[in-house]
Structure formats: C-alpha cells, structure tokens
C-alpha cells in the first residue's frame, strides 16, 4: 500500500482500513479541540476582565493536573484489554477506581489550596461544582478511550464537538466572572458525558462494578503506563517554567507560542501510534501496521513541515509581530517532529508487547535528556537551545529505535 491513494478504489481501501480510519478521526478530534480552545480563550479575553481570565485559567489548569494524576494508566489499559476481556467490566473498573482517586485528589486540593495556590482560595466557595466538573471530565475522557478501543473514533470526535458547546455557554455566564468561564467548560463536560453514555450503551457496553481480577491483572500494565506517561508529559509543563527562570518572560512567551504551533505536527505521529496500539491490541499484524503507520506519518508530516517553513512567519505574524522572532525556533522544533515520530512508534510497539520495562526506561531517558540538554543548551544558544535539545534528545532515541526495529523486523 502506498503512502497516498492513487485511485478511487485505493482511496476507499484507506477509508475502511481500521488503522487509517481511527487515525483520521483522532487527528481531526485533536485539531477541533485545539480550534475550540483557541476561540474559547479569545472570546473569554474579549468579554471577561483580565483578572477573571487569569483565575479561570488557573482553575482549569489545576483540574487538568488532577485529571492527569488520577488516570493511573487505566486509559491505556482500556485499549490494551478491551479486545480480550469483558468490556463493561474493564471500563467500569477503570472509571470507578479513577473517579474515587480523582475525588480524593480534588478534595485534598481544595482543602490545601491556601498552601499551594492562595490566589485560588475562592475555589472553596464552589467546591461541589469543582468536584462535579472534575468527575464529569474524568469519566468522559475514559469513555473517549473506550470509543478509540472499540475502533469507533467517530464518537470520540463527536465528544470534541460537544465540548465545543462551551462557546455557546461562555457569554451568557459573563455575570459570574471567573466562575462563568470555568462553568461554561464544566457544563460542556456534562453535556458530552450524557451523550457519551448514551452512545456507549448503543455500542453494547453497560458500566459494571469493580472487577478485582482485572484490577490485579492490569495493575502492572496500568502502573507502567502511568509512570511512563508522567515522564513524557512532564517536560511540556516544566520547560516553560525553565525558560522563564533562565531567559525571562519574553523568551518564555516565544517558546510557548512556538511549541503550541509545532504541537499540530506532533499530533500526526501521536494519532497514528494510538491507532497502532489499538490494532496491535486487537491482534493485528504488528510489522505490517508499523510500516503502514510510518508511511502514513511521513506522508503527512513532510508536507506539513514544508508548509510550516513556508508560512511560519505569516502564522507568527497573525499572533503578534513580537512573536515573529520565534520563527527559527519553530523551524528547529518542526525538524524534531521527524525524530519524535520514531520514539512514538517504539512506545506503541512496547505497549502492544507488554514491554513495560523498556517503556519506562525510554520515557525516563527522554525526560532526563530533554530537560538536561535544554538547560545547558539554553545557556549557550538562548531560546534556540531548547529547540536543539528537542532534536538532540529525539535524534538519539530515534537512532536506538530504528536500530531496534531493523534488527527485529529486517535482520
């Protein structure tokens, strides 16, 4: 199969191929989510005072952090174990365990908010609402993972469209201030949750109680993915702070905008490798799907990177003239997306193969290399040093990954 369809018949084959079909909906879901997010904050900045926007941003970020911590790797276990176990019990167990953990984290956060973030002390005034939105967000996310595992990513895409309902709720709630911004997002989670549960039932899944056997059998896999996921996610939250502390606020803003733009490139390999993980969990031919994934990734990534090189200055100019200075950083980060793709494929392979030790080791190496090299290269090259660190880290990992795949699948 070629990277691009060369006839209507081949195009139809691509559209019904589970790997490519799932990938397509995952990509457009990510793009729609980013688009809704951009418009949401643009409207919030226009209709709400700056102070309210700042508080709401912190509230939403805190909820995102709690969701990340409460997943416990079960989002990955859903994909891995859905094909071989009772789907209702797998999903029910994941939702019950993570919801309870998320509830505990949420209560602890609210109780200690004066210590961690005194500026968010008002969260105590609407603690029940905060917990309700937290739980709705968490449960909806796990149902979304179930849709991907079921190869019904079109429902996952529908979830993102329902999250877009926050745009309709945002302006009518302006009289509530920061709570209005936060509530518009939270209510969109509840709307998406109601529809998602209906679609889940239509798909033949009924949420059940905790399956202790599954909980014990999946513990190692969930824990391994949890640790690995934290290692992978941490640099994106730590690097902006590192840049701010070393280079100042202006450079930190340039890095944030450059990274936000290049994130659209990273969506391509992450979407393909999520589908690769799904197909591998369903028993699909791993070697064939790995090659198909790589072909699809680079078929989309090459023209996307070229387009960013050609129009990057214009895109940065739209955001603001001060951000055009970050063009070189955008280009360097864009180049790193090629190397990043190989590490994503390797991680997906190890998830399918239950290679948890390799998964944690490679994630930890990426974490240490990326943060360590960013620090030292920033001192030498300024903001471009962060881009060089991305290339260095993922190029080194990419070499190891390619050699590993060649040895396994070619020699």
């Amino acid at each position: 199969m070629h990277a691009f369809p060369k006839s209507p018949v081949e195009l139809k084959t691509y559209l019904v191929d589970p790997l490519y079909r799932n990938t397509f909906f995952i990509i457009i879901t990510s793009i729609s989510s980013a688009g809704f997010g951009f418009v949401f904050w643009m409207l919030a900045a226009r209709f709400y005072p700056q102070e309210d926007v700042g508080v709401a941003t912190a509230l939403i970020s805190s909820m995102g952090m709690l969701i990340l911590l409460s997943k416990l790797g079960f989002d990955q276990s859903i994909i891995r174990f859905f094909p071989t176990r009772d789907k209702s019990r797998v999903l029910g167990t994941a939702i019950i365990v993570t919801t309870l953990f998320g509830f505990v984290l949420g209560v602890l956060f609210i109780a200690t908010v004066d210590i961690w973030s005194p500026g968010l002390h008002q969260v105590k005034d609407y603690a029940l609402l905060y917990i309700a939105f937290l739980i709705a967000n968490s449960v909806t996310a796990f149902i979304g993972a179930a849709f991907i595992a079921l190869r019904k990513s079109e429902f996952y895409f529908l979830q993102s469209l329902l999250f877009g309902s926050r745009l309709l709720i945002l302006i009518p709630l302006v009289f509530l201030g920061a709570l209005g911004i936060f509530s518009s997002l939270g209510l969109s989670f509840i709307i998406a949750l109601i529809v998602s549960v209906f679609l889940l039932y239509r798909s033949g899944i009924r949420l059940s109680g905790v399956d202790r056997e599954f909980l014990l059998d999946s513990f190692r896999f969930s824990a391994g993915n949890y640790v690995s996921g934290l290692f992978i996610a941490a640099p994106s939250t730590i690097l902006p702070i590192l840049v701010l502390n070393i280079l100042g606020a202006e450079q930190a803003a340039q890095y944030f905008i450059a990274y936000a733009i290049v994130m659209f490139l990273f969506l391509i390999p992450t979407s393909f490798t999520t589908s690769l993980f799904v197909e591998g969990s369903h028993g699909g031919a791993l070697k064939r799907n790995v090659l198909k994934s790589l072909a699809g990734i680079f078929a989309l990534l090459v023209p996307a990177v070229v387009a960013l090189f050609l129009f990057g200055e214009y895109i940065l100019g739209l955001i603001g003239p001060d951000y055009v200075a970050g063009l070189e950083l955008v280009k360097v980060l864009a180049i790193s997306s090629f190397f990043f793709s190989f590490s994503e494929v390797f991680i997906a392979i190890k998830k399918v193969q239950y290679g948890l030790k390799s998964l944690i080791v490679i994630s930890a190496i990426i974490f240490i290399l990326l943060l360590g090299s960013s620090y030292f290269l920033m001192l030498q090259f300024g903001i471009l040093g962060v881009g060089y660190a991305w290339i260095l880290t993922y190029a080194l990992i990419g070499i190891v990954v390619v050699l590993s795949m060649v040895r396994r699948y070619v020699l």
Side-chain angles (χ1 to χ4, degrees):
M1 187 177 285
H2 308 291
F4 287 106
K6 300 185 182 301
S7 68
V9 174
E10 194 169 326
L11 176 61
K12 184 178 179 180
T13 303
Y14 271 60
L15 293 176
V16 299
D17 183 288
L19 182 113
Y20 287 126
R21 187 173 179 277
N22 239 14
T23 299
F24 170 74
F25 280 109
I26 292 171
I27 289 176
I28 63 172
T29 297
S30 300
I31 292 173
S32 68
S33 297
F36 283 132
F38 177 78
V39 176
F40 178 78
W41 288 112
M42 183 179 69
L43 290 174
R46 183 179 294 271
F47 288 96
Y48 287 77
Q50 189 174 29
E51 182 181 351
D52 289 340
V53 174
V55 172
T57 302
L59 279 171
I60 293 169
S61 297
S62 69
M63 188 165 64
M65 177 192 67
L66 295 178
I67 293 293
L68 177 65
L69 293 174
S70 67
K71 283 184 177 180
L72 299 174
F74 277 103
D75 52 331
Q76 302 300 306
S77 288
I78 287 173
I79 295 175
R80 185 66 181 83
F81 292 99
F82 247 39
T84 57
R85 287 184 176 265
D86 185 307
K87 297 175 178 58
S88 297
R89 297 182 72 83
V90 168
L91 183 59
T93 301
I95 287 178
I96 291 171
V97 172
T98 57
T99 297
L100 288 174
F101 188 51
F103 174 80
V104 171
L105 289 178
V107 170
L108 287 174
F109 172 74
I110 294 170
T112 60
V113 71
D114 291 330
I115 299 174
W116 304 109
S117 184
L120 290 179
H121 63 89
Q122 61 265 57
V123 73
K124 292 182 177 181
D125 299 330
Y126 34 87
L128 291 178
L129 201 61
Y130 185 92
I131 295 296
F133 291 160
L134 175 70
I135 291 173
N137 187 355
S138 176
V139 175
T140 305
F142 276 98
I143 295 177
F147 288 149
I148 293 174
L150 289 169
R151 297 168 167 168
K152 293 187 176 182
S153 292
E154 64 272 21
F155 292 162
Y156 180 56
F157 173 58
L158 178 59
Q159 278 187 331
S160 75
L161 297 182
L162 293 169
F163 290 146
S165 63
R166 58 187 152 164
L167 301 181
L168 303 176
I169 307 171
L170 179 64
I171 298 175
L173 295 184
V174 70
F175 69 96
L176 293 175
L179 180 60
I181 300 174
F182 183 64
S183 295
S184 63
L185 183 68
L187 289 172
S188 75
F189 292 149
I190 291 176
I191 293 170
L193 175 59
I194 293 170
V195 177
S196 296
V197 170
F198 171 74
L199 293 174
L200 196 64
Y201 274 55
R202 284 283 302 272
S203 301
I205 296 180
R206 307 289 188 269
L207 297 182
S208 63
V210 174
D211 183 340
R212 293 184 180 180
E213 184 182 350
F214 163 69
L215 196 59
L216 292 173
D217 290 347
S218 66
F219 176 78
R220 183 169 172 268
F221 186 81
S222 297
N225 277 279
Y226 182 61
V227 173
S228 171
L230 290 178
F231 275 132
I232 293 296
S236 64
T237 57
I238 295 174
L239 278 173
I241 300 172
L242 196 62
V243 174
L244 176 66
N245 290 337
I246 295 176
L247 301 177
E250 184 178 331
Q251 296 292 295
Q254 285 192 10
Y255 172 75
F256 180 81
I257 294 299
Y259 179 74
I261 292 172
V262 176
M263 269 301 296
F264 283 95
L265 298 180
F266 294 156
L267 290 177
I268 295 172
T270 54
S271 298
F272 269 97
T273 52
T274 298
S275 293
L276 173 62
F277 178 32
V278 171
E279 294 309 307
S281 298
H282 279 271
L286 191 56
K287 177 181 178 180
R288 180 172 178 270
N289 283 327
V290 165
L291 295 176
K292 282 169 59 180
S293 296
L294 287 171
I297 288 170
F298 285 97
L300 294 179
L301 201 55
V302 170
V305 170
V306 170
L308 195 55
F309 267 67
L310 293 175
F311 303 108
E313 184 174 0
Y314 174 73
I315 295 171
L316 289 168
L318 288 176
I319 297 171
D322 294 338
Y323 294 105
V324 176
L327 178 61
E328 289 304 310
L329 177 60
V330 167
K331 291 180 177 179
V332 173
L333 287 172
I335 292 171
S336 74
S337 65
F338 293 112
F339 303 110
F340 174 81
S341 301
F342 288 107
S343 70
E344 286 294 290
V345 170
F346 181 79
I347 287 172
I349 291 172
K350 290 305 170 186
K351 287 179 180 178
V352 172
Q353 295 175 336
Y354 223 87
L356 299 179
K357 183 177 179 181
S358 298
L359 191 63
I360 294 173
V361 168
I362 196 170
S363 301
I365 291 173
I366 289 172
F367 173 81
I368 295 168
L369 267 180
L370 185 53
L371 290 181
S373 59
S374 290
Y375 174 77
F376 289 108
L377 291 174
M378 253 194 290
L379 298 177
Q380 184 73 25
F381 300 103
I383 192 68
L384 273 179
V386 186
Y388 296 148
W390 275 82
I391 290 181
L392 174 65
T393 298
Y394 284 101
L396 290 174
I397 296 296
I399 291 171
V400 174
V401 167
V402 170
L403 290 176
S404 173
M405 287 194 291
V406 167
R407 186 175 61 183
R408 182 175 182 84
Y409 295 120
V410 178
L411 298 180

